Amino acid sequence: MAVVPARGAAARASRRATGRRYNVLMDAEKTIQFILEKSAENTVQLQILRETAMAHEHDLQVHTEWKPEMSRALQDLAAMMKDGFRLMADKHVELAQARKDSAEEQRTTRENLNSLIRTVQDILPHLPKQ
């Protein structure tokens, strides 16, 4: 015996109800699939975010560790430079004094030499000729 499709308003209403159920079930399955896909994407993004946060935390820890060392090194360098500048200033004062003393000694030597030259020039004409 063959199944004959129903005709009429009742049959159409039955087919519409079945179609709606099918559409509702399909929509629910698609929604669940969409939610699962998004959940998987969110899980991956969350893992990436955690790894990035851990890397930044490590960088911050390294930065925190070397910052005081760098600060101490810079303070030591500044102290050495200050000492070096002070030493150079002292040496500059000594050099200026030595230059002044040397100029005074050179003036005295020039005066003595000029005096000697005058004395020799005064004596030479009075020496007997040979």
Side-chain angles (χ1 to χ4, degrees):
M1 194 180 301
V3 177
V4 178
R7 296 180 188 245
R12 283 192 300 275
S14 174
R15 280 194 296 270
R16 275 194 303 255
T18 303
R20 280 190 212 132
R21 245 181 308 171
Y22 178 75
N23 285 341
V24 169
L25 289 177
M26 285 299 292
D27 288 345
E29 288 178 9
K30 287 180 182 179
T31 302
I32 291 170
Q33 184 64 31
F34 175 79
I35 290 170
L36 290 174
E37 289 172 2
K38 289 301 175 185
S39 177
E41 289 176 13
N42 289 341
T43 301
V44 169
Q45 290 175 349
L46 185 59
Q47 182 61 32
I48 291 170
L49 184 62
R50 282 185 184 137
E51 291 170 1
T52 303
M54 287 174 53
H56 286 305
E57 185 177 328
H58 175 70
D59 291 346
L60 181 62
Q61 182 180 3
V62 168
H63 176 74
T64 302
E65 289 173 0
W66 69 260
K67 187 177 178 183
E69 294 172 13
M70 183 63 75
S71 178
R72 278 192 298 277
L74 288 173
Q75 288 174 352
D76 292 346
L77 178 61
M80 287 189 295
M81 289 177 70
K82 185 177 178 182
D83 291 344
F85 289 142
R86 188 176 300 124
L87 180 63
M88 285 180 62
D90 292 345
K91 293 295 181 183
H92 182 70
V93 169
E94 289 175 16
L95 181 61
Q97 185 61 44
R99 187 179 298 158
K100 183 179 177 183
D101 294 345
S102 176
E104 181 64 29
E105 289 173 2
Q106 185 178 11
R107 187 181 62 74
T108 303
T109 301
R110 188 180 310 117
E111 288 174 0
N112 290 340
L113 182 58
N114 286 338
S115 187
L116 178 62
I117 290 172
R118 277 192 303 273
T119 302
V120 169
Q121 286 174 344
D122 288 345
I123 294 176
L124 277 180
H126 301 302
L127 285 177
K129 294 187 181 183
Q130 294 180 357

